[in-house]
Amino acid sequence: MADYPELPRESTSTRRQFLKTAAFGLGAALTMPACSPSPALARGDEEKLGVALVGLGNYATNQLAPALEHTEKCRLAGIVTGTPAKAEAWSQKYSIPQTHIYNYETFDHIADNEDIDVVYVVLPNSMHAEYTIRAAQAGKHVICEKPMALNARECESMIAACEEAGVKLSIGYRVQFEPHNLEAMRLGREKVFGAVKVIEASFGFRLQNPNQWRLDKALAGGGALMDVGIYAIQAARYVTGEEPISVTAQEVKTDPMMFKTVDETITWQLEFPSGVVANSTTSYAAYVERFYASCEQGWFELGPAYSYSGIQGRTHQGPMDFPQVVQQALQMDDFADCILNDRASKVSGEEGLRDVKIIEAIYEAIATGGKVSLV
Amino acid sequence: MADYPELPRESTSTRRQFLKTAAFGLGAALTMPACSPSPALARGDEEKLGVALVGLGNYATNQLAPALEHTEKCRLAGIVTGTPAKAEAWSQKYSIPQTHIYNYETFDHIADNEDIDVVYVVLPNSMHAEYTIRAAQAGKHVICEKPMALNARECESMIAACEEAGVKLSIGYRVQFEPHNLEAMRLGREKVFGAVKVIEASFGFRLQNPNQWRLDKALAGGGALMDVGIYAIQAARYVTGEEPISVTAQEVKTDPMMFKTVDETITWQLEFPSGVVANSTTSYAAYVERFYASCEQGWFELGPAYSYSGIQGRTHQGPMDFPQVVQQALQMDDFADCILNDRASKVSGEEGLRDVKIIEAIYEAIATGGKVSLV
């Protein structure tokens, strides 16, 4: 982790103090009076929590910023970018004042900006820990993209920093707010078709641009497994409601040039206390995207299972009938609600840590060729 | 293997001699004159090869016998059963004369029956080798159900016995004659969507009757893997057109009472020379039935993939459009054609042996916890 300046906790804003007070009070988010609205505020925006996006890459640009136009409790209040041209373009597109635009040198001054309540870390994986901790120390609640960090030690530092700063932390597990995935959780956990016995959960895509941070272990920490395999790990956990007790894993690499430092294709098997086995595949070489659970008296599946849109589901009884949603909008609104009502997020830092521990165990299982215990 | 009487090769029939001669001639199956038709022959049946089913269990009763009413080049000519009541019922239902009904003591006399050209071994797995070899020594061509036998050694004995007897041998791999699976073969082998990169192939069902030979290792040789997992092995091989070079495998058992001697749920990973990885699941605890192949420029899948009927397929371009067929009828007719035209079956004994070797390697990988080489 890089050094970062220690910022005084006193720098948190008056509006923040109000929000914290309100959160412990009646939680009347919708009746909350406006306190020093920024120039960027539209009608009604004074009631919303201000979100600053840190890192204006593809996901921030094409998913999060548009999603923030669908949120009820959040608004895009600031940006952090090292690219002046991006700052200019975003400023114009989203009416973000210069006072709400930071770069990586000025980032910590975000502590002084009372319009910004939440920092959303959308940086390459290797920067998640540093910027989550710096945001916490700036007194901001934090959403950190998945994977939470490069290893469990970093995750634990992030959780500790947020606890110490008295801010909330959540991970960008958007599909936990998606109706088909929520239905899969219900079918699995409530044993609607009897106990789940076998799971197949896989997510991969064909990565074709060789010039991206995903292929650089120093930035990404790992390959397909950390990037998209994590969705399959998540799904196996949230559908069973169990934590795996052991894992075996295997790796195949067909393009050692392109995937010089990160994994290309990994298969793994999670064993759960009830005996459920989840067999999974992730890949940067091929598209695969499915969740399937077979139960004692039926089955259910999602496919596409984890996409930004177009998720569909089926059971042995027929197709699921749920609307398409803006997953990130629901995810961010839920986090705002957690802040306003001082409740824990279901996609907490601890939840992110659990997955990173499993990812570490998968890499260990590949390295040792053996079964790795998770208990 | 049990002892069995050595039957003289001279006992093969006149009609058989004719068939062999015809096979090496013009292969004019449809113009073949009738030679000593049996009392059971219907109009046109004299042109068909006579098939004797050995073992009148569920598959023979509900699949093979009905399929034989759809064959163009085969007919049900005889039965072998240890249960007199079954003999009586089948005799009545299919007009099978007493002279064409055998039990396991009289089985070898089938050599004297010139109406019977093909013996179809539908017995529990542990009896495949013995009855295939006895059938060969009786001068009959043989179809043996999958898995071919309990181990590679038995398979090799069966191949040798058929070669020595000058009879053809094939394995009951019906889905290799099913249009959706044939299309999957074409898409994979001809690289229609580019090279296959990742395969997920799984087959399992929920076995609920505790009183059956499938649960007895002495009869079955193994559990879900040998019974239905073999379809996933087959599919990975016939879609890639490659032979795997190594395998890893894992076992989970949630009901050690019911699955005291055989495997309940196994996951395995086949690695192919081109780098394709096939990740598979088989189970007696849960229904799972799918073949999925992800390629460089698209994907294709089957699901249900291996059933007797109802197989469907899709690609990234949309659903496949192929008719439902009587797989076993096509399979048996193809074998008849192999006999009549003296050509090799694509579902040969060697093909069965390859799968059994992989099954042995999967069990070895489970036992050792390591990767098992297949080359």
Side-chain angles (χ1 to χ4, degrees):
Chain A
M1 240 175 308
D3 290 333
Y4 49 87
E6 292 289 327
L7 291 170
R9 295 283 292 114
E10 292 85 335
S11 67
T12 51
S13 71
T14 307
R15 181 161 175 274
R16 166 159 323 289
Q17 294 302 336
F18 168 77
L19 280 173
K20 284 191 177 173
T21 308
F24 288 99
L26 295 173
L30 294 176
T31 59
M32 188 167 57
C35 298
S36 56
S38 87
L41 289 184
R43 185 186 300 272
D45 272 1
E46 64 272 19
E47 294 170 356
K48 297 180 175 181
L49 299 195
V51 174
L53 298 177
V54 186
L56 305 183
N58 177 58
Y59 190 63
T61 305
N62 299 316
Q63 301 298 328
L64 294 179
L68 277 160
E69 304 199 314
H70 293 274
T71 45
E72 293 179 2
K73 298 173 183 172
C74 303
R75 61 187 172 83
L76 178 59
I79 52 175
V80 183
T81 175
T83 310
K86 284 188 184 175
E88 177 61 23
W90 280 63
S91 174
Q92 288 195 8
K93 182 167 185 182
Y94 294 106
S95 305
I96 300 169
Q98 292 302 312
T99 52
H100 293 54
I101 299 174
Y102 302 84
N103 61 35
Y104 296 107
E105 285 70 47
T106 62
F107 172 74
D108 303 295
H109 297 300
I110 209 165
D112 303 323
N113 191 327
E114 64 181 17
D115 276 342
I116 293 171
D117 305 291
V118 175
V119 163
Y120 198 141
V121 178
V122 207
L123 295 162
N125 304 341
S126 66
M127 301 165 81
H128 286 185
E130 177 188 341
Y131 280 85
T132 293
I133 292 169
R134 284 168 71 173
Q137 292 180 327
K140 306 301 181 188
H141 302 285
V142 186
I143 308 175
C144 178
E145 257 314 304
K146 38 59 54 184
M148 181 171 172
L150 302 187
N151 52 57
R153 185 182 45 75
E154 283 191 349
C155 296
E156 285 158 359
S157 303
M158 295 157 77
I159 292 169
C162 291
E163 281 178 355
E164 196 185 327
V167 298
K168 290 193 184 293
L169 170 62
S170 71
I171 310 302
Y173 288 136
R174 57 183 167 75
V175 294
Q176 286 213 30
F177 301 91
E178 194 282 323
H180 300 80
N181 278 270
L182 288 167
E183 174 67 357
M185 286 179 215
R186 185 185 76 84
L187 294 172
R189 294 188 193 179
E190 296 183 11
K191 298 180 171 45
V192 174
F193 303 139
V196 176
K197 302 295 287 182
V198 164
I199 286 174
E200 293 186 330
S202 299
F203 197 17
F205 68 96
R206 189 160 172 80
L207 189 152
Q208 291 183 287
N209 173 7
N211 303 308
Q212 55 177 294
W213 65 264
R214 281 182 171 78
L215 291 168
D216 181 351
K217 186 172 184 177
L219 291 173
L225 177 63
M226 293 196 79
D227 189 22
V228 287
I230 192 171
Y231 284 93
I233 295 170
Q234 266 275 299
R237 290 180 52 245
Y238 61 60
V239 166
T240 58
E242 297 181 37
E243 296 303 323
I245 54 175
S246 68
V247 63
T248 46
Q250 307 78 35
E251 182 176 8
V252 168
K253 196 170 283 195
T254 63
D255 189 344
M257 288 291 288
M258 184 148 174
F259 302 99
K260 197 172 177 181
T261 65
V262 300
D263 44 284
E264 177 192 314
T265 298
I266 287 178
T267 49
W268 71 94
Q269 302 75 41
L270 295 176
E271 203 175 329
F272 289 86
S274 66
V276 178
V277 58
N279 193 15
S280 293
T281 306
T282 189
S283 183
Y284 273 158
Y287 172 71
V288 50
E289 183 186 353
R290 177 181 180 242
F291 178 88
Y292 172 85
S294 192
C295 314
E296 290 166 313
Q297 285 105 41
W299 54 265
F300 55 97
E301 71 174 348
L302 307 175
Y306 320 105
S307 293
Y308 301 147
S309 62
I311 291 177
Q312 295 181 40
R314 291 159 292 281
T315 78
H316 63 283
Q317 297 172 328
M320 292 182 187
D321 182 21
F322 294 102
Q324 297 298 315
V325 298
V326 181
Q327 299 167 34
Q328 296 90 346
L330 296 176
Q331 168 210 327
M332 289 188 276
D333 272 345
D334 183 78
F335 190 54
D337 192 68
C338 288
I339 293 166
L340 294 167
N341 293 297
D342 191 36
R343 62 174 177 82
S345 169
K346 69 173 175 179
V347 290
S348 64
E350 287 75 9
E351 180 75 354
L353 168 62
R354 287 183 198 107
D355 292 331
V356 170
K357 280 183 175 172
I358 294 167
I359 287 172
E360 287 187 308
I362 290 171
Y363 285 128
E364 183 187 341
I366 291 167
T368 63
K371 182 184 282 195
V372 174
S373 172
L374 287 161
V375 289
Chain B
M1 241 174 307
D3 291 332
Y4 49 86
E6 292 288 328
L7 291 170
R9 296 281 294 113
E10 292 83 334
S11 68
T12 50
S13 71
T14 307
R15 181 161 175 270
R16 165 161 323 289
Q17 294 301 338
F18 169 78
L19 280 171
K20 285 190 173 173
T21 310
F24 288 98
L26 295 172
L30 295 176
T31 58
M32 189 165 58
C35 298
S36 54
S38 87
L41 289 182
R43 185 187 298 273
D45 272 1
E46 62 273 18
E47 293 170 355
K48 298 179 175 181
L49 299 195
V51 174
L53 298 177
V54 186
L56 304 183
N58 178 59
Y59 190 64
T61 305
N62 299 315
Q63 301 298 328
L64 294 179
L68 277 161
E69 304 200 315
H70 293 274
T71 45
E72 293 179 2
K73 297 174 184 171
C74 303
R75 62 185 171 85
L76 178 59
I79 52 176
V80 183
T81 176
T83 309
K86 285 187 184 176
E88 178 59 25
W90 281 63
S91 174
Q92 289 194 6
K93 182 166 185 183
Y94 294 105
S95 306
I96 300 168
Q98 292 302 314
T99 52
H100 293 53
I101 299 173
Y102 302 85
N103 59 35
Y104 297 108
E105 284 69 48
T106 62
F107 173 73
D108 303 295
H109 296 299
I110 209 165
D112 302 322
N113 191 328
E114 65 181 17
D115 277 341
I116 294 171
D117 306 290
V118 175
V119 163
Y120 198 142
V121 178
V122 208
L123 294 162
N125 305 340
S126 66
M127 302 164 81
H128 287 184
E130 176 187 341
Y131 280 86
T132 293
I133 292 169
R134 285 168 70 172
Q137 293 181 327
K140 305 302 180 185
H141 303 286
V142 187
I143 309 175
C144 178
E145 258 313 305
K146 36 59 58 182
M148 183 171 170
L150 302 187
N151 52 57
R153 185 183 45 76
E154 282 191 349
C155 295
E156 285 158 358
S157 302
M158 294 157 77
I159 292 168
C162 290
E163 280 178 355
E164 196 186 327
V167 298
K168 292 194 183 290
L169 170 62
S170 72
I171 311 302
Y173 288 137
R174 58 184 167 75
V175 294
Q176 287 213 30
F177 302 90
E178 193 283 324
H180 300 81
N181 279 270
L182 288 167
E183 174 67 356
M185 286 180 214
R186 186 185 75 86
L187 294 172
R189 294 188 193 180
E190 296 182 11
K191 299 180 170 45
V192 174
F193 304 138
V196 176
K197 302 296 285 182
V198 165
I199 286 173
E200 293 185 331
S202 299
F203 197 16
F205 69 96
R206 189 158 172 81
L207 189 151
Q208 291 182 287
N209 172 7
N211 303 309
Q212 55 177 294
W213 65 265
R214 282 181 170 78
L215 291 168
D216 182 351
K217 186 172 183 176
L219 290 172
L225 177 63
M226 292 196 80
D227 189 23
V228 287
I230 192 170
Y231 285 94
I233 296 170
Q234 266 275 299
R237 290 180 52 245
Y238 61 61
V239 166
T240 58
E242 297 181 37
E243 295 303 323
I245 54 176
S246 68
V247 64
T248 47
Q250 306 78 35
E251 182 175 9
V252 168
K253 196 169 284 195
T254 64
D255 189 344
M257 286 293 287
M258 185 148 173
F259 302 100
K260 197 172 176 181
T261 65
V262 300
D263 45 284
E264 176 192 317
T265 299
I266 287 178
T267 50
W268 72 95
Q269 301 75 42
L270 295 176
E271 203 175 329
F272 290 85
S274 66
V276 177
V277 57
N279 193 14
S280 293
T281 307
T282 189
S283 183
Y284 272 158
Y287 172 72
V288 50
E289 184 187 352
R290 177 179 179 243
F291 179 89
Y292 173 85
S294 192
C295 314
E296 291 166 313
Q297 286 105 40
W299 54 265
F300 54 97
E301 71 175 347
L302 308 176
Y306 319 106
S307 293
Y308 300 147
S309 62
I311 291 176
Q312 295 181 40
R314 291 159 291 281
T315 78
H316 63 285
Q317 297 172 328
M320 293 182 186
D321 182 20
F322 293 102
Q324 297 298 315
V325 298
V326 181
Q327 298 167 34
Q328 296 88 348
L330 295 176
Q331 168 210 327
M332 289 188 276
D333 271 345
D334 182 79
F335 189 55
D337 192 69
C338 288
I339 294 165
L340 293 168
N341 293 296
D342 191 36
R343 62 175 178 83
S345 169
K346 68 173 174 178
V347 291
S348 64
E350 288 75 10
E351 180 75 354
L353 168 62
R354 288 183 197 107
D355 292 331
V356 170
K357 281 183 174 172
I358 294 168
I359 287 172
E360 287 187 309
I362 289 172
Y363 285 128
E364 183 187 341
I366 291 168
T368 63
K371 182 184 282 194
V372 174
S373 173
L374 287 161
V375 289

